[in-house]
Short mmCIF file of all heavy atoms in Angstrom, two decimals:
data_model
loop_
_atom_site.label_atom_id
_atom_site.label_comp_id
_atom_site.label_asym_id
_atom_site.label_seq_id
_atom_site.Cartn_x
_atom_site.Cartn_y
_atom_site.Cartn_z
N HIS A 43 0.12 -4.63 -10.65
CA HIS A 43 0.97 -4.12 -11.73
C HIS A 43 1.45 -2.73 -11.32
O HIS A 43 0.65 -1.89 -10.90
CB HIS A 43 0.20 -4.03 -13.04
CG HIS A 43 1.01 -3.42 -14.15
ND1 HIS A 43 1.98 -4.13 -14.81
CD2 HIS A 43 1.03 -2.18 -14.65
CE1 HIS A 43 2.55 -3.33 -15.70
NE2 HIS A 43 1.98 -2.13 -15.62
N VAL A 44 2.76 -2.52 -11.44
CA VAL A 44 3.36 -1.24 -11.05
C VAL A 44 4.30 -0.78 -12.16
O VAL A 44 5.11 -1.56 -12.66
CB VAL A 44 4.15 -1.38 -9.73
CG1 VAL A 44 4.83 -0.08 -9.38
CG2 VAL A 44 3.26 -1.85 -8.61
N ASP A 45 4.17 0.48 -12.56
CA ASP A 45 5.06 1.08 -13.54
C ASP A 45 5.56 2.40 -12.95
O ASP A 45 4.75 3.29 -12.66
CB ASP A 45 4.34 1.31 -14.87
CG ASP A 45 5.25 1.93 -15.91
OD1 ASP A 45 6.41 1.49 -16.04
OD2 ASP A 45 4.80 2.88 -16.58
N LEU A 46 6.88 2.51 -12.78
CA LEU A 46 7.48 3.72 -12.23
C LEU A 46 8.41 4.33 -13.26
O LEU A 46 9.31 3.66 -13.76
CB LEU A 46 8.26 3.40 -10.96
CG LEU A 46 8.96 4.59 -10.28
CD1 LEU A 46 7.93 5.58 -9.75
CD2 LEU A 46 9.85 4.10 -9.15
N GLN A 47 8.17 5.60 -13.59
CA GLN A 47 9.00 6.32 -14.55
C GLN A 47 9.54 7.57 -13.89
O GLN A 47 8.79 8.33 -13.27
CB GLN A 47 8.16 6.73 -15.78
CG GLN A 47 7.52 5.58 -16.52
CD GLN A 47 8.54 4.70 -17.21
OE1 GLN A 47 9.51 5.20 -17.77
NE2 GLN A 47 8.32 3.40 -17.16
N ALA A 48 10.85 7.78 -14.02
CA ALA A 48 11.45 9.04 -13.56
C ALA A 48 11.33 10.03 -14.70
O ALA A 48 11.67 9.73 -15.84
CB ALA A 48 12.90 8.81 -13.18
N ARG A 49 10.84 11.21 -14.41
CA ARG A 49 10.62 12.23 -15.43
C ARG A 49 11.33 13.52 -15.00
O ARG A 49 11.65 13.71 -13.84
CB ARG A 49 9.14 12.48 -15.63
CG ARG A 49 8.34 11.21 -15.93
CD ARG A 49 7.38 11.41 -17.03
NE ARG A 49 6.48 10.30 -17.19
CZ ARG A 49 6.65 9.35 -18.09
NH1 ARG A 49 7.67 9.36 -18.90
NH2 ARG A 49 5.77 8.36 -18.19
N SER A 50 11.51 14.41 -15.96
CA SER A 50 12.18 15.68 -15.68
C SER A 50 11.35 16.81 -16.27
O SER A 50 10.85 16.72 -17.39
CB SER A 50 13.57 15.68 -16.30
OG SER A 50 14.20 16.91 -16.08
N ALA A 51 11.22 17.88 -15.50
CA ALA A 51 10.53 19.08 -15.96
C ALA A 51 11.19 20.29 -15.31
O ALA A 51 11.32 20.32 -14.08
CB ALA A 51 9.04 19.02 -15.62
N ASP A 52 11.61 21.23 -16.11
CA ASP A 52 12.25 22.44 -15.60
C ASP A 52 13.44 22.12 -14.68
O ASP A 52 13.64 22.77 -13.66
CB ASP A 52 11.24 23.32 -14.86
CG ASP A 52 10.14 23.81 -15.77
OD1 ASP A 52 10.41 24.04 -16.97
OD2 ASP A 52 9.00 23.97 -15.28
N GLY A 53 14.18 21.08 -15.02
CA GLY A 53 15.35 20.71 -14.25
C GLY A 53 15.06 19.94 -12.98
O GLY A 53 15.97 19.58 -12.24
N GLU A 54 13.81 19.67 -12.70
CA GLU A 54 13.41 18.92 -11.51
C GLU A 54 13.06 17.49 -11.91
O GLU A 54 12.42 17.26 -12.93
CB GLU A 54 12.19 19.56 -10.84
CG GLU A 54 12.43 20.95 -10.30
CD GLU A 54 13.26 20.94 -9.03
OE1 GLU A 54 13.21 19.95 -8.29
OE2 GLU A 54 13.97 21.92 -8.81
N ILE A 55 13.47 16.53 -11.10
CA ILE A 55 13.13 15.12 -11.32
C ILE A 55 11.89 14.79 -10.48
O ILE A 55 11.82 15.16 -9.30
CB ILE A 55 14.29 14.19 -10.91
CG1 ILE A 55 15.55 14.53 -11.68
CG2 ILE A 55 13.90 12.73 -11.06
CD1 ILE A 55 15.48 14.21 -13.16
N TYR A 56 10.94 14.12 -11.09
CA TYR A 56 9.78 13.64 -10.35
C TYR A 56 9.46 12.23 -10.81
O TYR A 56 9.99 11.74 -11.81
CB TYR A 56 8.57 14.57 -10.50
CG TYR A 56 7.97 14.62 -11.89
CD1 TYR A 56 6.88 13.82 -12.21
CD2 TYR A 56 8.47 15.47 -12.86
CE1 TYR A 56 6.32 13.86 -13.48
CE2 TYR A 56 7.92 15.52 -14.12
CZ TYR A 56 6.84 14.71 -14.43
OH TYR A 56 6.30 14.75 -15.68
N PHE A 57 8.61 11.55 -10.07
CA PHE A 57 8.25 10.18 -10.38
C PHE A 57 6.80 10.11 -10.83
O PHE A 57 5.92 10.72 -10.21
CB PHE A 57 8.46 9.27 -9.17
CG PHE A 57 9.89 9.24 -8.72
CD1 PHE A 57 10.31 9.97 -7.62
CD2 PHE A 57 10.83 8.49 -9.43
CE1 PHE A 57 11.63 9.95 -7.21
CE2 PHE A 57 12.16 8.48 -9.03
CZ PHE A 57 12.55 9.21 -7.92
N ASP A 58 6.58 9.37 -11.90
CA ASP A 58 5.25 9.11 -12.44
C ASP A 58 4.98 7.64 -12.19
O ASP A 58 5.56 6.77 -12.82
CB ASP A 58 5.23 9.45 -13.93
CG ASP A 58 3.85 9.37 -14.54
OD1 ASP A 58 2.93 8.84 -13.89
OD2 ASP A 58 3.70 9.83 -15.69
N LEU A 59 4.11 7.37 -11.25
CA LEU A 59 3.82 6.02 -10.81
C LEU A 59 2.41 5.63 -11.21
O LEU A 59 1.46 6.37 -10.92
CB LEU A 59 3.96 5.95 -9.27
CG LEU A 59 3.53 4.69 -8.56
CD1 LEU A 59 4.41 3.51 -8.96
CD2 LEU A 59 3.56 4.91 -7.06
N THR A 60 2.28 4.51 -11.90
CA THR A 60 0.96 3.99 -12.27
C THR A 60 0.81 2.58 -11.71
O THR A 60 1.72 1.76 -11.85
CB THR A 60 0.79 3.95 -13.80
OG1 THR A 60 1.00 5.27 -14.32
CG2 THR A 60 -0.61 3.49 -14.18
N MET A 61 -0.32 2.34 -11.08
CA MET A 61 -0.62 1.01 -10.52
C MET A 61 -1.98 0.56 -11.04
O MET A 61 -2.87 1.38 -11.23
CB MET A 61 -0.65 1.07 -9.00
CG MET A 61 0.68 1.39 -8.38
SD MET A 61 0.55 1.74 -6.62
CE MET A 61 0.08 3.47 -6.67
N GLN A 62 -2.09 -0.73 -11.25
CA GLN A 62 -3.37 -1.31 -11.66
C GLN A 62 -3.77 -2.38 -10.67
O GLN A 62 -2.92 -3.03 -10.06
CB GLN A 62 -3.27 -1.90 -13.06
CG GLN A 62 -3.06 -0.84 -14.12
CD GLN A 62 -2.90 -1.44 -15.49
OE1 GLN A 62 -2.88 -2.64 -15.68
NE2 GLN A 62 -2.78 -0.58 -16.49
N ASP A 63 -5.06 -2.58 -10.55
CA ASP A 63 -5.63 -3.55 -9.60
C ASP A 63 -5.00 -3.33 -8.22
O ASP A 63 -4.23 -4.15 -7.73
CB ASP A 63 -5.41 -4.98 -10.07
CG ASP A 63 -6.08 -5.26 -11.39
OD1 ASP A 63 -7.16 -4.70 -11.63
OD2 ASP A 63 -5.52 -6.02 -12.19
N ALA A 64 -5.34 -2.21 -7.61
CA ALA A 64 -4.69 -1.80 -6.37
C ALA A 64 -5.68 -1.76 -5.21
O ALA A 64 -6.90 -1.68 -5.39
CB ALA A 64 -4.06 -0.42 -6.56
N TRP A 65 -5.10 -1.81 -4.03
CA TRP A 65 -5.82 -1.63 -2.77
C TRP A 65 -5.11 -0.51 -2.04
O TRP A 65 -3.88 -0.50 -1.95
CB TRP A 65 -5.80 -2.92 -1.96
CG TRP A 65 -6.51 -2.86 -0.65
CD1 TRP A 65 -7.83 -3.13 -0.43
CD2 TRP A 65 -5.95 -2.55 0.63
NE1 TRP A 65 -8.13 -2.99 0.91
CE2 TRP A 65 -6.98 -2.64 1.58
CE3 TRP A 65 -4.68 -2.19 1.06
CZ2 TRP A 65 -6.79 -2.38 2.93
CZ3 TRP A 65 -4.48 -1.93 2.41
CH2 TRP A 65 -5.52 -2.04 3.33
N VAL A 66 -5.85 0.45 -1.50
CA VAL A 66 -5.29 1.64 -0.87
C VAL A 66 -5.49 1.58 0.64
O VAL A 66 -6.60 1.39 1.11
CB VAL A 66 -5.96 2.93 -1.41
CG1 VAL A 66 -5.30 4.16 -0.83
CG2 VAL A 66 -5.96 2.95 -2.92
N TRP A 67 -4.38 1.76 1.37
CA TRP A 67 -4.47 1.85 2.83
C TRP A 67 -4.90 3.27 3.17
O TRP A 67 -4.09 4.20 3.15
CB TRP A 67 -3.11 1.55 3.45
CG TRP A 67 -3.10 1.62 4.95
CD1 TRP A 67 -3.17 2.75 5.70
CD2 TRP A 67 -3.02 0.53 5.86
NE1 TRP A 67 -3.14 2.44 7.03
CE2 TRP A 67 -3.04 1.07 7.17
CE3 TRP A 67 -2.94 -0.84 5.71
CZ2 TRP A 67 -2.98 0.28 8.31
CZ3 TRP A 67 -2.87 -1.63 6.85
CH2 TRP A 67 -2.90 -1.08 8.12
N ASP A 68 -6.16 3.45 3.42
CA ASP A 68 -6.69 4.76 3.76
C ASP A 68 -7.94 4.56 4.60
O ASP A 68 -8.95 4.05 4.11
CB ASP A 68 -7.01 5.55 2.49
CG ASP A 68 -7.41 6.99 2.78
OD1 ASP A 68 -7.84 7.30 3.91
OD2 ASP A 68 -7.31 7.81 1.86
#
Side-chain angles (χ1 to χ4, degrees):
H43 176 77
V44 177
D45 180 44
L46 179 65
Q47 301 292 321
R49 306 224 189 262
S50 178
D52 297 327
E54 296 286 332
I55 302 292
Y56 68 95
F57 299 102
D58 187 347
L59 172 65
T60 303
M61 294 170 277
Q62 292 177 357
D63 299 325
W65 180 89
V66 184
W67 180 288
D68 187 338

